[in-house]
Amino acid sequence: MKAAERQPTDLQEELGRTYRRFAEGRAGEESPLHARVALALGGSPAALDALSALPTRGRSPALVLAALHYLALKGRAPSLADAYAAGDQDAAASAAVDALVGGPEEVAAVVSRRQVPHHLARPYAVLHPAIGAVARRVGAGAVGLVDVGSPAGLNLLVDGVSIAYSDGRRAGEPASPVASVCRVVGERAVPTEPIPAVVARVAAGTAPFDAADADDALWLRACLAPDDRDGLAALAAELALASAAPPRLVRGDLAEAVPRALDAVPPDALPVVITTWSLSRLAAARRGRFLERLEEAALGRPVAWVAVEGVGVAPSVPTLGDRPASGHSIVGLAVLGPEGRWFAAAGRCWSRGRVLEWLGAG
């Protein structure tokens, strides 16, 4: 009996449903091209055969679509690359099935060693005033930025970005090729004073991306949909900016990597640890351990922490009486050191930092 005539297995039926849900949900909203490809993969018996043979963690639609895009960008799936370049949904669907079925070992090799970033948010407009606030509280003339758990370390670019707020105020570098726009709500203006000189940049996490590495940069491009023109253009500008001042990479568990990351900050600069929706992926006990490691590191000198996390996720950060899972995030500030600890909720943000309510640093 031919493969196409076989009854699908339970796994293949579940994979088909997963890919259809993906096409109708996230991909359908963000990328018609990826939605069409996902439907084709989920509806092809041969593709489902190939998907079911992939490692368990490598079968997710987002990862497989990124792997196929990566192979296209590498020149190893030329028909798919041509279809993506042309924006031809039907051709892309057919070429994606052919690429997967004709080269399952190549797809397996990619999904076995890569992961899709849980987000590629760029909350520069939120981080800029928050970093300035903790630096002013300590009186710091220089800072070292330590981006913990962010998928690509893009938060480290915050001082080199052009930021425009909806009330007409601007911050950052006006001539920067990387631009960020943020809608301001509420009554208080967002502070736009320059942040101190950044003398160290460190990306810490289990698998931080190296923006200066051509293959890592190509993978980040592959994680965006081929028809996301604005996103791809923004990422290209960010990668160019990052390659001019590549960060130091510290690999390890989010909590355990912190002390080594802080060691990379010169003693005369204030270390500013940044977490943006990173702690939500940790169990509550591990979030507490993260704070403990920060406090231990702050026994010898002040350490600041800027946390942009869901309500109640960042330990000790006030929740403003908001309820968890309420659809927005708290902009939390902390300064830890030999003289004590200080925590504040400086604002709320929505849409991964595209909307900000600034409440002040207390």
Side-chain angles (χ1 to χ4, degrees):
M1 184 179 294
K2 296 181 180 180
E5 298 173 350
R6 292 199 308 263
Q7 290 296 314
T9 65
D10 290 345
L11 173 59
Q12 290 168 348
E13 288 184 342
E14 178 57 32
L15 284 171
R17 289 191 292 270
T18 298
Y19 276 71
R20 286 192 296 274
R21 285 195 299 267
F22 181 85
E24 294 163 359
R26 171 182 161 187
E29 296 172 358
E30 300 176 358
S31 167
L33 193 58
H34 259 180
R36 180 70 181 87
V37 170
L39 280 175
L41 295 176
S44 163
L48 290 171
D49 254 352
L51 289 171
S52 62
L54 293 175
T56 301
R57 64 165 294 276
R59 297 170 185 155
S60 75
L63 183 54
V64 170
L65 289 171
L68 290 169
H69 191 191
Y70 172 81
L71 293 174
L73 292 171
K74 292 280 282 186
R76 304 211 301 258
S79 296
L80 183 59
D82 290 344
Y84 279 163
D88 188 327
Q89 295 182 22
D90 290 336
S94 176
V97 170
D98 290 345
L100 175 61
V101 174
E105 65 288 341
E106 285 200 282
V107 176
V110 176
V111 301
S112 296
R113 67 185 182 89
R114 288 292 191 179
Q115 57 184 343
V116 174
H118 59 283
H119 69 81
L120 274 178
R122 292 93 157 177
Y124 304 125
V126 174
L127 294 176
H128 194 280
I131 294 168
V134 292
R136 285 190 295 274
R137 184 171 184 87
V138 176
V143 296
L145 303 181
V146 180
D147 194 9
V148 178
S150 176
L154 297 179
N155 291 332
L156 298 172
L157 305 178
V158 61
D159 61 316
V161 173
S162 172
I163 302 169
Y165 296 100
S166 61
D167 60 3
R169 298 167 68 85
R170 302 189 68 92
E173 294 292 334
S176 174
V178 180
S180 176
V181 177
C182 179
R183 182 163 66 91
V184 178
V185 299
E187 299 178 354
R188 184 169 289 197
V190 181
T192 56
E193 297 90 342
I195 63 178
V198 178
V199 297
R201 303 174 200 271
V202 187
T206 54
F209 288 89
D210 184 354
D213 180 86
D215 201 56
D216 271 6
L218 194 69
W219 175 250
L220 286 178
R221 286 180 58 197
C223 290
L224 296 178
D227 52 349
D228 182 4
R229 305 301 181 193
D230 291 343
L232 289 167
L235 180 62
E238 288 167 324
L239 291 174
L241 189 61
S243 65
R248 175 173 175 176
L249 305 181
V250 176
R251 292 180 170 84
D253 173 87
L254 293 191
E256 304 310 319
V258 166
R260 289 183 289 122
L262 294 177
D263 286 343
V265 178
D268 56 348
L270 172 69
V272 180
V273 175
I274 301 169
T275 64
T276 54
W277 303 288
S278 302
L279 299 186
S280 59
R281 295 178 291 123
L282 303 181
R286 292 183 64 202
R287 296 173 199 164
R289 179 59 178 160
F290 174 82
L291 178 56
E292 289 174 5
R293 297 299 273 166
L294 281 183
E295 291 176 325
E296 291 167 5
L299 292 175
R301 64 167 172 172
V303 173
W305 175 27
V306 171
V308 184
E309 304 281 354
V311 178
V313 171
S316 296
V317 170
T319 61
L320 303 170
D322 299 344
R323 299 173 64 180
S326 54
H328 66 271
S329 301
I330 299 289
V331 183
L333 309 180
V335 175
L336 312 167
E339 298 181 359
R341 57 208 301 268
W342 169 82
F343 290 88
R348 300 180 177 92
C349 70
W350 293 259
S351 300
R352 295 293 189 185
R354 289 188 288 271
V355 181
L356 172 64
E357 179 188 20
W358 185 256
L359 301 175

